[in-house]
Amino acid sequence: MDEAIRLATNSVMNGGGPFGALIAKDGEIVALGNNQVTATLDPTAHAEVSAMRAACKQLGTFSLEGCVLVTSCEPCPMCLSSALWARVDRIVYCADRHDAAVAGFDDRKFYDLFDKKPQSMWPTRVEQLDLPHRTAPFDAWLAKADRVDY
């Protein structure tokens, strides 16, 4: 998780958004990703999607069965759906949707669309790992004077 938070914080310093993710398999990091939405003008270039794309290329497959998605923040509905399609075994995140909203990334209305079915019925286990520095990427984002808000 520390690596995902580091990626997110570094992303802010390098012109990306405050999100970082990685794909791990058998305890080893397969691929990294950070948010590149404004840098690439691609609304789907979220950290999780970037990490999954890189992992699929690295592993030579479209299926990420046997992999874990570790992300600095609770995946948005698009990233969650992508992870479900990729068949990741598990998703672990740190900051949550409310932490993201404080930093200007308020997607809570989209989450409401998914809250109809209890997570216990989902095909992929989703867990939050609450660390004291979970908001470090958002703190860096809010402190960045030249950020591009979206």
Side-chain angles (χ1 to χ4, degrees):
M1 183 58 71
D2 287 332
E3 179 65 9
I5 293 171
R6 185 192 67 74
L7 285 166
T9 305
N10 286 345
S11 179
V12 172
M13 301 309 155
N14 294 314
F19 301 92
L22 62 89
I23 297 291
K25 185 171 186 172
D26 300 325
E28 299 293 323
I29 295 175
V30 174
L32 307 172
N34 68 292
N35 182 284
Q36 291 291 310
V37 170
T38 59
T40 62
L41 304 178
D42 178 354
T44 68
H46 290 199
E48 298 89 341
V49 172
S50 297
M52 287 185 280
R53 287 175 179 159
C56 287
K57 285 181 184 175
Q58 177 68 25
L59 297 171
T61 181
F62 59 85
S63 173
L64 295 177
E65 287 184 63
C67 294
V68 177
L69 169 62
V70 179
T71 181
S72 63
C73 187
E74 182 177 8
C76 74
M78 178 188 71
C79 292
L80 179 58
S81 297
S82 297
L84 293 172
W85 275 107
R87 307 293 195 261
V88 298
D89 283 1
R90 189 168 142 227
I91 300 166
V92 181
Y93 67 92
C94 198
D96 66 18
R97 65 186 78 175
H98 307 292
D99 296 319
V102 169
F105 299 88
D106 192 354
D107 296 335
R108 290 178 289 194
K109 64 184 173 196
F110 301 136
Y111 288 104
D112 291 345
L113 299 171
F114 285 79
D115 285 341
K116 305 287 187 235
K117 191 172 197 177
Q119 285 187 356
S120 62
M121 298 179 69
W122 292 12
T124 300
R125 195 169 79 203
V126 179
E127 312 168 34
Q128 180 179 18
L129 180 60
D130 186 13
L131 297 179
H133 58 295
R134 72 179 188 273
T135 61
F138 297 128
D139 297 339
W141 174 257
L142 290 171
K144 185 175 172 67
D146 63 343
R147 70 181 182 267
V148 177
D149 289 324
Y150 64 99

